[in-house]
Amino acid sequence: MRYRLTFAAGLAVGYVLGTRAGRERYERLREAGRRMAENPAVRNATEVAAQSGREAASKAAGVVTDKLGSRLPDSVGDKVRALRDQRTPLDDDWGRSNT
């Protein structure tokens, strides 16, 4: 309950501060965020982070499957194998959008 109250209080404070800043300030912040997202260095950093995350997740899935494979319910094990067989490690294009 404490976390809900903290979240609600933060939401209320953000709303009040946001409404006082006005639409012009919002538009400036939005434009700055858009420029930052279009920066080639930022795009490269996010691509590297996404690739590292995919590799780490793939390795972790292999370790978990090796250690827990026989103890997993058959339905879960079948689903994991089906998902693993369905794609190759670098087959997806997540995080590689040109937009």
Side-chain angles (χ1 to χ4, degrees):
M1 186 66 171
R2 185 176 92 188
Y3 299 110
R4 288 183 186 175
L5 291 174
T6 303
F7 177 75
L11 191 64
V13 169
Y15 175 77
V16 169
L17 293 177
T19 56
R20 287 191 181 177
R23 183 71 177 184
E24 181 184 326
R25 178 71 178 145
Y26 167 76
E27 292 295 337
R28 282 191 287 165
L29 287 171
R30 192 173 119 203
E31 180 64 23
R34 186 189 61 75
R35 277 183 290 167
M36 184 178 72
E38 291 177 354
N39 184 333
V42 173
R43 291 180 70 87
N44 289 340
T46 56
E47 181 63 32
V48 168
Q51 182 64 30
S52 297
R54 285 191 293 272
E55 290 172 3
S58 178
K59 288 178 186 176
V63 170
V64 169
T65 303
D66 290 344
K67 290 189 178 191
L68 297 176
S70 61
R71 291 183 282 194
L72 288 173
D74 290 336
S75 60
V76 175
D78 293 343
K79 184 68 173 174
V80 169
R81 280 187 292 280
L83 289 172
R84 187 182 301 145
D85 294 342
Q86 191 174 23
R87 68 178 193 92
T88 60
L90 298 176
D91 191 28
D92 65 22
D93 63 349
W94 186 86
R96 296 184 189 148
S97 174
N98 290 331
T99 59

